[in-house]
Amino acid sequence: MNFFTKVDLPVTDFKIDYNSRLAFFGSCFADNISSLFAERKFNVLANPFGTVYNPISLASQVKAIADGKVYGDADVFQDVCRDNGHGDNLWHCWDAHSSLSASTREECIAKLNAAAKQAREFLQKADTVFVTLGSAFVYTLKGTGNVAANCHRQDPKMFERQLISVEEVACAIRKIVENLHKITATAKNTNSHEPRIVFTVSPIRHKGDGAHGNNLSKATVLLGIEKAIKEIAASPSAPRNDAVTYFPSYEIVMDELRDYRFYADDMIHLSKTAEDYIFERMVNTYCSEKTRADIARVEKFMKMANHRIQDESSPATQEFKKKLAAQAAELEKQIPGLDLAQEKDNCKKLC
């Protein structure tokens, strides 16, 4: 008897290794998965403008990066402290997460421009971009009609909440793909290339939408992705059949991990075990057998490198650090693209 429903993984012609440059955009699920790649020393860019859940805001962020937008006074606002106790006097941007907010207008603008510059430079050489969509609900500013990526705890009366259509999701996805290609096409001093773009849907439920609302939202996003991928593949200008694809993160949780033991204490977010399992399934999909073996070696090394040191001045610690530095250098020679400079520097500081 089979008590486990396995989700079929996509078959891809491209593979990820330590020479790859991986970009992740989208919900907090994108942050969590990207951190698992980063912990294993892959070259990663994750959410330069912070977490974003809806496809329209994400499309706007990617367009700003592609257009080389320079943020200024008109792009930020101050949350002035009000009589009811709300307001933090910080400067925010509707298009970015609060992690880019600041105590002064100048600092907030500087953060936005630094994030855009970093993202543009990274994406010009990116091999694979993972885009995780979390919700089809958007919050539109009544005064401007613009969709806010983050509401920054402002008065709910400022926004109109709505569930966008499948076509609006598909349109946003097409714009994301178009602008990602635009970024790589304008790369200087590099061979022009188009990254593989992988869309996925966050398996994390949005409790605030209600059970039925969450299902409507996820279904809308899933249908929008399917529609856009088919349209892009059918386009005469489509460079490859695998240029834009889908990875079933949502389906893996719904069908393979359908048990509350795979959730965190809030019964909404995923447990570390679930995230590790999805990461393993992604590695099995996008990494060759050799790269999977390399990952295992890096994991073993990082476990040693992160070992807590009790006495940094002891002879045993000094010897341990020397061996660690030698292992780092050897791994870099054996695994092309692996960068353990930080770990080697840490060893030097203690030797």
Side-chain angles (χ1 to χ4, degrees), residues 203 205 249-258 263:
R205 292 167 295 152
S249 299
Y250 179 82
E251 291 79 359
I252 288 171
V253 172
M254 295 300 107
D255 285 308
E256 295 187 22
L257 306 180
R258 49 170 129 170
Y263 286 83

Side-chain angles (χ1 to χ4, degrees), residues 181-193:
H181 288 169
K182 178 181 175 181
I183 293 169
T184 55
T186 58
K188 297 179 180 179
N189 301 321
T190 61
N191 294 325
S192 179
H193 70 287

Side-chain angles (χ1 to χ4, degrees), residues 222-263:
L222 286 164
L223 288 168
I225 292 174
E226 180 72 8
K227 187 176 191 299
I229 290 178
K230 286 184 177 180
E231 291 172 347
I232 293 168
S235 171
S237 60
R240 297 179 300 264
N241 290 333
D242 64 346
V244 184
T245 56
Y246 177 76
F247 182 81
S249 299
Y250 179 82
E251 291 79 359
I252 288 171
V253 172
M254 295 300 107
D255 285 308
E256 295 187 22
L257 306 180
R258 49 170 129 170
D259 191 301
Y260 275 107
R261 64 195 168 114
F262 295 113
Y263 286 83

Side-chain angles (χ1 to χ4, degrees), residues 294-305 327 331:
D294 290 340
I295 291 173
R297 296 172 66 192
V298 173
E299 287 175 338
K300 183 178 180 181
F301 170 82
M302 292 305 299
K303 186 175 182 180
M304 293 176 58
Q327 287 187 27
L331 277 176

Side-chain angles (χ1 to χ4, degrees), residues 152-172:
H152 299 294
R153 299 183 179 180
Q154 297 301 292
D155 188 344
K157 295 179 182 178
M158 297 174 61
F159 308 94
E160 180 180 348
R161 180 178 178 270
Q162 66 178 113
L163 180 70
I164 60 176
S165 67
V166 170
E167 176 53 38
E168 287 174 304
V169 173
C171 180

Side-chain angles (χ1 to χ4, degrees), residues 94-337:
W94 293 120
D95 295 332
H97 187 263
S98 57
S99 58
L100 278 77
S101 300
S103 57
T104 67
R105 177 197 288 116
E106 293 75 16
E107 183 183 358
C108 182
I109 293 172
K111 281 186 174 183
L112 292 166
N113 285 320
K117 182 176 183 292
Q118 177 199 21
R120 189 159 50 251
E121 292 176 350
F122 189 96
L123 288 170
Q124 285 176 344
K125 299 178 183 179
D127 302 284
T128 307
V129 181
F130 292 95
V131 179
T132 302
L133 302 180
S135 176
F137 280 104
V138 301
Y139 289 81
T140 304
L141 283 159
K142 292 179 179 179
T144 64
N146 294 329
V147 173
N150 194 294
C151 294
H152 299 294
R153 299 183 179 180
Q154 297 301 292
D155 188 344
K157 295 179 182 178
M158 297 174 61
F159 308 94
E160 180 180 348
R161 180 178 178 270
Q162 66 178 113
L163 180 70
I164 60 176
S165 67
V166 170
E167 176 53 38
E168 287 174 304
V169 173
C171 180
I173 290 170
R174 291 193 297 268
K175 289 179 180 178
I176 290 170
V177 172
E178 177 185 338
N179 281 301
L180 285 172
H181 288 169
K182 178 181 175 181
I183 293 169
T184 55
T186 58
K188 297 179 180 179
N189 301 321
T190 61
N191 294 325
S192 179
H193 70 287
E194 292 181 334
R196 265 73 171 194
I197 303 169
V198 181
F199 284 90
T200 189
V201 173
S202 170
I204 300 173
R205 292 167 295 152
H206 287 224
K207 186 178 180 181
D209 297 333
H212 183 58
N214 175 74
N215 286 340
L216 289 175
S217 172
K218 298 294 187 184
T220 301
V221 171
L222 286 164
L223 288 168
I225 292 174
E226 180 72 8
K227 187 176 191 299
I229 290 178
K230 286 184 177 180
E231 291 172 347
I232 293 168
S235 171
S237 60
R240 297 179 300 264
N241 290 333
D242 64 346
V244 184
T245 56
Y246 177 76
F247 182 81
S249 299
Y250 179 82
E251 291 79 359
I252 288 171
V253 172
M254 295 300 107
D255 285 308
E256 295 187 22
L257 306 180
R258 49 170 129 170
D259 191 301
Y260 275 107
R261 64 195 168 114
F262 295 113
Y263 286 83
D265 291 342
D266 63 4
M267 297 298 153
I268 297 174
H269 290 84
L270 300 182
S271 68
K272 185 179 184 304
T273 299
E275 290 175 352
D276 287 343
Y277 180 78
I278 296 172
F279 172 78
E280 180 182 301
R281 297 283 269 156
M282 292 184 78
V283 166
N284 288 339
T285 301
Y286 299 111
C287 297
S288 67
E289 183 177 351
K290 178 187 181 305
T291 301
R292 295 197 294 271
D294 290 340
I295 291 173
R297 296 172 66 192
V298 173
E299 287 175 338
K300 183 178 180 181
F301 170 82
M302 292 305 299
K303 186 175 182 180
M304 293 176 58
N306 294 326
H307 180 74
R308 181 177 295 180
I309 302 297
Q310 298 294 334
D311 183 2
E312 295 181 356
S313 62
S314 71
T317 296
Q318 299 302 310
E319 185 63 27
F320 171 74
K321 289 294 181 180
K322 289 178 181 178
K323 289 182 179 179
L324 200 64
Q327 287 187 27
E330 186 62 23
L331 277 176
E332 286 181 327
K333 290 180 181 179
Q334 296 175 358
I335 304 175

